[in-house]
Amino acid sequence: MDLKNINVIYVSPSKEDKIFRINLFKVWEKDLEESILQAYLAEGDFQRFMETLREVFQITKEEHDIFKYGDSAFYANMKM
């Protein structure tokens, strides 16, 4: 997988077990596209992931509470 192809990172938290589902997309039209990678991270790992995300990608837009309270979509371009 080439990180340059990633344009949207979608994060959906689960409050019950403190697990975060991460989906990476080339293109994201909400329910129409399938992610090219899906990962499940514990809360501590998620915090490190978000720090790394901001180091590697320039976030151009954020959307929150899209499908449920607490979820987020980060529109991004890989930093050169």
Side-chain angles (χ1 to χ4, degrees), residues 28-62:
W28 191 51
E29 295 184 21
K30 309 265 189 304
D31 287 327
L32 300 179
E33 294 291 326
E34 288 190 31
S35 64
I36 58 174
L37 178 68
Q38 186 175 86
Y40 293 87
L41 301 175
E43 192 170 12
D45 294 329
F46 173 71
Q47 296 304 323
R48 286 190 293 279
F49 171 80
M50 290 304 293
E51 291 170 9
T52 303
L53 172 74
R54 293 185 186 280
E55 290 174 10
V56 175
F57 290 96
Q58 176 185 357
I59 307 301
T60 58
K61 179 181 169 185
E62 294 182 29

